[in-house]
Amino acid sequence: MQTDTHLKRATTLVEETLGGDRQAAVVRAFFDESTFTATYVVSDPASKRAAIIDSVLDYDHASGTTGFASADLVIAYVEQENLIVDWLLETHVHADHLSAAPYLQEKVGGRLAIGAEITTVQNVFGKIFNEGTEFERDGSQFDVLMDDGDVLQIGELKLIALHVPGHTPADMAFVIGDALFTGDTMFMPDYGSARADFPGGDARALYRSVRRLMELPDATRVFLCHDYKAPNRDHFVWETTMLAERTANVHLHKDVTEDDFVAMRTQRDATLEMPRLILPAIQVNMRGGHLPQPEDNGNIYLKLPLNLLR
């Protein structure tokens, strides 16, 4: 695969950090076991500027109640470390948890950013949820829409955004210093890869996206959005290296061909149930984490479309 300009820039950034010319980002993870999601606070030790990646809003599906305990842990850390939050980043429109970005923005600030292909997701799911014309499908619920190769600053740290479609059309990965935040493109080496059967998903695109990321240096720190405990592993893990992913990922190691991966992913995805929170999560997350507007009785409602997602 030809290495593109944006990935070359990301690779150079990683190599410079590994070579000691740059100070590595400080990464603090918060793992929400109920949704198997890792939220990250990434900070520049020199300036104390920070970004929060893939936050979690607590949600009890049975009662329909929301809470902020998970987000409050993040806020406590930000305050304890005297960090200044510049960015609230979403790797994609999550189907397994609700985003706490609006709550965090109110409490600690920061601009909310997601990949520019969010508009594709909004168009697809705007129809599925019959949202009507009042639901904007232009990404305007977010402060910044990122394209492949866009560069954001976190103090003295550069963040390079990489478009990695496949799990969804809008997935982004972020290179910050010597660290890569993959979103749902891949999981721990012993667990493999993300599904690609959601509307707009594409197993072939996912393979190519991961192969692109695997051109980053061996020692790149790789931080994953989820962990589900692989068979025979009794503890959660959400950090690995690119060398481990490239050589040992059970679905995507270097010897797996594109056609073999697509066949495996297609067969496997056909056996998977929809994520438990997909219906509430996407309705909220495609709005940038904002809940729908209250109805005339003052209550907020989420829709439950029947027989559309199987």
Side-chain angles (χ1 to χ4, degrees):
M1 178 183 294
Q2 192 76 15
T3 304
D4 60 77
T5 301
H6 301 149
L7 187 57
K8 282 183 178 178
R9 290 162 64 199
T11 300
T12 299
L13 179 60
V14 172
E15 289 173 340
E16 287 178 347
T17 307
L18 291 171
D21 294 334
R22 297 173 183 266
Q23 198 163 19
V26 176
V27 181
R28 173 71 159 85
F30 296 83
F31 190 75
D32 177 54
E33 191 169 334
S34 66
T35 62
F36 309 102
T37 302
T39 295
Y40 297 101
V41 180
V42 187
S43 60
D44 169 26
S47 66
K48 292 290 190 175
R49 315 297 294 201
I52 300 171
I53 302 176
D54 291 336
S55 61
V56 173
L57 177 73
D58 300 319
Y59 176 73
D60 181 74
H61 198 34
S63 64
T65 56
T66 60
F68 304 107
S70 296
D72 285 339
L73 291 175
V74 174
I75 293 170
Y77 172 76
V78 166
E79 293 176 343
Q80 172 190 316
E81 298 299 318
N82 296 312
L83 300 178
I84 303 165
V85 177
D86 289 328
W87 297 101
L88 302 165
L89 304 173
E90 300 287 353
T91 54
H92 63 293
V93 175
H94 306 277
D96 39 41
H97 71 272
L98 283 64
S99 171
Y103 177 74
L104 289 169
Q105 193 169 44
E106 176 187 343
K107 299 296 183 181
V108 298
R111 302 173 73 194
L112 177 57
I114 198 169
E117 287 297 320
I118 176 63
T119 57
T120 301
V121 176
Q122 288 176 328
N123 274 307
V124 169
F125 282 96
K127 294 175 183 175
I128 287 175
F129 291 110
N130 194 32
E131 290 291 349
T133 57
E134 65 276 8
F135 172 59
E136 298 291 343
R137 294 161 169 81
D138 58 1
S140 57
Q141 300 86 348
F142 300 82
D143 299 313
V144 175
L145 301 183
M146 296 174 287
D147 289 311
D148 188 56
D150 279 355
V151 178
L152 307 180
Q153 290 292 144
I154 306 171
E156 297 179 11
L157 297 174
K158 281 185 169 59
L159 177 151
I160 297 178
L162 299 173
H163 183 216
V164 285
H167 174 60
T168 79
D171 278 61
M172 302 295 289
F174 306 124
V175 174
I176 308 174
D178 67 335
L180 170 70
F181 299 85
T182 67
D184 281 14
T185 54
M186 51 185 168
F187 299 138
M188 287 298 294
D190 59 357
Y191 198 87
S193 61
R195 64 195 299 165
D197 61 330
F198 294 154
D202 184 326
R204 202 166 292 278
L206 179 60
Y207 179 90
R208 295 172 182 175
S209 292
V210 172
R211 283 290 177 261
R212 185 184 187 216
L213 295 179
M214 283 183 171
E215 294 194 30
L216 291 167
D218 287 354
T220 304
R221 293 186 292 164
V222 178
F223 294 95
L224 312 169
C225 188
H226 299 289
D227 186 56
Y228 302 99
K229 290 185 185 175
N232 303 316
R233 174 157 56 82
D234 61 3
H235 59 287
F236 292 107
V237 189
W238 48 83
E239 179 182 353
T240 184
T241 68
M242 190 53 73
L243 177 62
E245 290 286 10
R246 188 186 301 112
T247 58
N249 186 293
V250 293
H251 295 165
L252 285 158
H253 61 78
K254 58 185 175 60
D255 296 325
V256 175
T257 69
E258 182 174 322
D259 287 342
D260 286 345
F261 175 77
V262 170
M264 178 281 299
R265 192 70 264 171
T266 302
Q267 182 178 15
R268 182 179 174 87
D269 288 350
T271 69
L272 300 177
E273 297 180 353
M274 283 289 112
R276 182 174 60 92
L277 297 184
I278 185 171
L279 294 176
I282 290 183
Q283 285 179 79
V284 171
N285 295 337
M286 70 182 184
R287 291 177 162 87
H290 294 281
L291 300 177
Q293 289 296 311
E295 298 195 6
D296 54 11
N297 63 357
N299 294 326
I300 296 171
Y301 295 89
L302 295 172
K303 294 181 178 179
L304 184 67
L306 301 180
N307 302 318
L308 285 179
L309 297 178
R310 297 170 186 256

